[in-house]
Amino acid sequence: MAILEASRLPYRIVEKAEKLLRLEADIKALEAVAKRSLMFDACGLELMNCSGSKQEILDGVRMIDLQNCISADETFCVRCERTPSASRALRSTELESAIGEIIAQRCDGARVDLKKPDRLFFGLLYNDRFILGLVLQKRAKRSVITRRARARPFFHPSTMQPKLARCLVNLSRPPLGGRALDPFCGVGGILLEAAMIGCVTLGFDIERRMVKAAAANLRHFNLDAAGVIVADARKPPILEVDSIVTDPPYGRGASTHGSTTQEILHTFLPVAADILVPGGHLAISIPTGISLESTEPALRILERHLLRVHRSLTRQIIVLRKKS
Ligand SMILES: C[S@@+](CC[C@H](N)C(=O)[O-])C[C@H]1O[C@@H](n2cnc3c(N)ncnc32)[C@H](O)[C@@H]1O
């Protein structure tokens, strides 16, 4: 949702279920999600949604308007999965072949290709329902692996893995080509993901060795930053940014330089409110136990998520919005 809001694409949530989000939105939403998100497997056009009864599913497939989905000279494949909570009465392989058979009959000439099909139909059995869609975007999984923390030239234990960093960047809702700042950038885990989605990327860190490492990590992936410089986040040498996305030091992996995280945030939040454009967002990851409540009146808390990292660390992901 944050991605669509950042891309200024209106949407309506139809249904949220395990492993599934159904939206009413412009087709451009698929491109925006595919470009920015690392949290989806596939997205596409919904073709039918019905109860999980085999009869109803197959009757539904017979009614789909296939004209815009596949042509006679194309190959296709049907993949079906079930969520853990779905009924076990139907086997997904049984559904795949029954649906495939109907599509082949209805689209004379179309052939099944399980390895490299032109068209992929994806069905999901969830709760007691079934949804079938035509996949238009799939996530390229390989590129995330190359950017994982240990695969970068410079590693630091405080750095974020790409999926979480990207998620945080998206929650900060940078507009297309917008200026995204990580004022506590460390070795650049967040900067990499902001640059990957085309943000004008800015990073500050109080330690020179971190700044050097972040710049080198960006260079390694041929990514440009508008600036990665040595600066104290509490006195940022910048006037305005569109979004701020960050992971301040907790004093475990990353040094707080004599302050507590709470003290750093107390000084940093008014500064963040100052440099954010009106309506801009700050997405921040902090340990539970640290409070952001009412420290800065210009910033309103929009979202809060809890994420267990390991036994002794649970992060809060908090999104704040600057008043328009
Ligand atoms: C948790 S790390 C950031 C990790 C980074 N997000 C990543 O994914 O690589 C926090 C960083 O804040 C830096 N830091 C601490 N106090 C700071 C301050 N006052 N201003 C700027 N940076 C600071 C530390 O040097 C450390 O590199």
Side-chain angles (χ1 to χ4, degrees):
M1 269 89 80
I3 292 175
L4 301 186
E5 285 165 24
S7 312
R8 313 274 189 269
L9 290 167
Y11 65 89
R12 186 179 77 80
I13 296 175
V14 178
E15 183 180 14
K16 266 188 197 180
E18 195 184 1
K19 293 180 89 178
L20 175 71
L21 179 63
R22 295 174 65 210
L23 295 177
E24 245 175 46
D26 189 279
I27 194 87
K28 285 188 202 136
L30 297 178
E31 259 174 58
V33 169
K35 175 149 194 247
R36 289 196 174 202
S37 175
L38 293 182
M39 293 291 191
F40 79 106
D41 286 327
C43 54
L45 275 184
E46 177 173 325
L47 301 175
M48 60 174 275
N49 184 290
C50 65
S51 85
S53 106
K54 185 173 178 184
Q55 192 57 50
E56 208 175 306
I57 294 172
L58 299 185
D59 286 348
V61 177
R62 289 188 190 97
M63 307 280 288
I64 294 171
D65 179 3
L66 284 176
Q67 255 184 3
N68 296 325
C69 299
I70 181 163
S71 52
D73 56 352
E74 286 181 312
T75 58
F76 73 96
C77 168
V78 181
R79 289 271 170 245
C80 292
E81 282 180 20
R82 85 174 77 244
T83 63
S85 60
S87 144
R88 309 208 72 78
L90 257 177
R91 279 190 303 138
S92 8
T93 45
E94 182 186 333
L95 260 187
E96 285 169 357
S97 48
I99 294 173
E101 213 169 287
I102 297 174
I103 294 176
Q105 276 166 8
R106 291 195 53 217
C107 186
D108 203 11
R111 285 166 299 110
V112 171
D113 180 342
L114 300 182
K115 283 201 177 134
K116 251 185 136 193
D118 299 318
R119 301 284 171 179
L120 174 62
F121 294 88
F122 181 75
L124 185 71
L125 286 157
Y126 66 105
N127 306 329
D128 54 354
R129 299 200 63 79
F130 177 76
I131 184 168
L132 184 72
L134 178 67
V135 173
L136 296 181
Q137 299 283 353
K138 277 178 90 179
R139 183 164 64 81
K141 297 188 177 154
R142 179 85 206 123
S143 98
V144 182
I145 298 170
T146 62
R147 292 196 308 285
R148 70 189 190 280
R150 290 274 181 193
R152 302 174 202 147
F154 287 89
F155 171 79
H156 189 272
S158 71
T159 198
M160 254 190 203
Q161 292 291 358
K163 272 194 175 179
L164 179 57
R166 178 72 69 90
C167 179
L168 210 60
V169 170
N170 283 328
L171 287 172
S172 78
R173 295 162 170 78
L176 204 66
R179 296 155 297 177
L181 165 69
D182 180 355
F184 302 91
C185 72
V187 296
I190 290 175
L191 298 183
L192 284 173
E193 298 309 312
M196 282 293 295
I197 64 163
C199 289
V200 172
T201 306
L202 295 151
F204 304 149
D205 201 287
I206 206 160
E207 287 192 36
R208 183 168 302 277
R209 67 187 175 111
M210 292 295 196
V211 166
K212 280 188 169 172
N217 279 341
L218 282 157
R219 265 198 312 278
H220 176 76
F221 294 99
N222 292 323
L223 293 167
D224 268 339
V228 186
I229 56 175
V230 180
D232 187 329
R234 296 164 292 188
K235 297 175 199 140
I238 192 160
L239 292 177
E240 193 182 72
V241 290
D242 298 299
S243 74
I244 302 178
V245 46
T246 199
D247 176 27
Y250 311 157
R252 291 188 194 184
S255 166
T256 48
H257 293 266
S259 307
T260 63
T261 309
Q262 189 79 64
E263 282 163 357
I264 291 180
L265 289 175
H266 187 76
T267 324
F268 170 68
L269 283 186
V271 171
D274 223 33
I275 59 175
L276 260 182
V277 293
H281 294 79
L282 158 64
I284 188 163
S285 161
I286 50 176
T288 48
I290 291 176
S291 158
L292 279 184
E293 299 302 354
S294 64
T295 46
E296 174 48 51
L299 293 172
R300 187 175 61 84
I301 294 183
L302 196 68
E303 295 175 47
R304 187 194 296 270
H305 310 275
L306 286 181
L307 192 72
R308 188 177 179 276
V309 182
H310 49 71
R311 208 153 34 114
S312 58
L313 178 62
T314 299
R315 288 181 204 255
Q316 315 175 62
I317 308 284
I318 301 179
V319 183
L320 301 107
R321 183 175 190 275
K322 180 172 168 179
K323 286 184 184 147
S324 299

